[in-house]
Amino acid sequence: MSYCVNCGVELESSLKSCPLCHTPVINPNELQKAQVPSPYPKERGQVDVVKRKDFGILTSIVLIATSLSCLLLNLFVFPGSLWSLFIIGACLVLFVLVFPMVIYTKLPIYISFLFDGVAVGIYLYLITFNTADNRWFTALALPIVTLITILVEIFALLLRSFSVSFLTTSLYFFAEAAVLCVGIELLIDHYSGAPLHLVWSAIVLTVCSVIIVLLITLLSIRRFRDAVRRRLHF
């Protein structure tokens, strides 16, 4: 006994359509045998991936066009101050950051970090054209940038030369953080003419020293090192 799926009238087994609403009578078992076309395409489409070098070329053109446009506006429309040097310096820093990632990926990391430090130094030097005195650059900004660049280079060298783990990376990080804070405070004291004396950096140095001693202890005793790795899952 079967019924119409549309009006519910009782149907005879020999009927091909409903006598009341003329809805076709279909056996559900026959639907599995029928070849129903899939609504989805058989071939997978894929959007073309943008090449790194093409993205680098477009980025370079945008940065160069931005720098030149701001320079022309500064020279011919708004000549009051050299405000375009801020934008030109920022574009230079962005270009140096983008270059090893999308244009020339085989550039060694040491040279990449060195270029980053030089670009930041040039950007700070361009700012001196808008300040009355450039002593802040030679006595404070340039030494700090140089110190940071040297520490970053040493950090990269340590990671490339020795075994890398969470504990060793943390050890290098806290050691260089202490050196950086001490160096910055001493440079600030020298720039301001104050006596070379550790104040806030002494707190950072103390905390980092305690952490460094703890990390060295964990690294030197295998039992402690394995226990920490198991509990922290690294």
Side-chain angles (χ1 to χ4, degrees):
M1 188 79 59
S2 61
Y3 299 90
C4 178
V5 295
N6 184 40
C7 63
V9 70
E10 184 178 349
L11 303 173
E12 295 181 2
S13 59
S14 61
L15 293 176
K16 299 297 182 181
S17 63
C18 177
L20 183 62
C21 64
H22 305 289
T23 300
V25 178
I26 301 175
N27 189 347
N29 295 326
E30 296 180 355
L31 293 176
Q32 299 178 356
K33 300 178 181 179
Q35 295 180 355
V36 180
S38 175
Y40 304 103
K42 296 181 179 179
E43 298 180 357
R44 293 185 178 181
Q46 185 177 1
V47 179
D48 294 336
V49 180
V50 179
K51 295 182 179 179
R52 289 186 176 183
K53 290 186 177 181
D54 294 339
F55 178 74
I57 293 174
L58 292 176
T59 304
S60 302
I61 292 175
V62 171
L63 294 176
I64 293 173
T66 302
S67 301
L68 292 177
S69 300
C70 293
L71 179 61
L72 293 176
L73 285 174
N74 193 178
L75 294 177
F76 299 105
V77 182
F78 305 104
S81 61
L82 296 176
W83 55 269
S84 62
L85 295 179
F86 293 99
I87 301 176
I88 294 174
C91 290
L92 175 63
V93 174
L94 289 176
F95 176 78
V96 173
L97 292 175
V98 169
F99 185 84
M101 292 186 294
V102 298
I103 299 178
Y104 188 71
T105 57
K106 297 181 180 180
L107 187 68
I109 189 172
Y110 315 105
I111 300 178
S112 178
F113 286 149
L114 180 61
F115 285 167
D116 294 339
V118 172
V120 174
I122 294 175
Y123 179 51
L124 294 175
Y125 175 72
L126 294 177
I127 296 177
T128 60
F129 290 93
N130 289 277
T131 57
D133 186 13
N134 61 357
R135 181 175 173 269
W136 65 270
F137 172 75
T138 57
L140 185 61
L142 184 60
I144 291 178
V145 172
T146 303
L147 176 62
I148 294 175
T149 303
I150 293 174
L151 291 177
V152 171
E153 293 282 353
I154 294 174
F155 187 78
L157 180 62
L158 291 173
L159 294 181
R160 293 290 297 271
S161 302
F162 300 97
S163 59
V164 179
S165 65
F166 178 79
L167 295 176
T168 55
T169 304
S170 302
L171 176 63
Y172 304 151
F173 173 79
F174 285 106
E176 294 203 354
V179 175
L180 176 62
C181 292
V182 171
I184 290 177
E185 184 171 14
L186 293 178
L187 290 173
I188 293 175
D189 292 340
H190 176 71
Y191 173 74
S192 60
L196 299 180
H197 182 65
L198 299 182
V199 182
W200 60 268
S201 64
I203 301 175
V204 179
L205 179 61
T206 302
V207 175
C208 290
S209 299
V210 173
I211 297 175
I212 290 171
V213 172
L214 176 61
L215 292 174
I216 293 176
T217 303
L218 293 176
L219 289 171
S220 59
I221 302 177
R222 184 175 182 179
R223 182 177 70 258
F224 291 166
R225 183 173 66 252
D226 295 339
V228 172
R229 288 177 176 174
R230 287 195 301 268
R231 284 164 174 76
L232 297 181
H233 303 286
F234 62 80

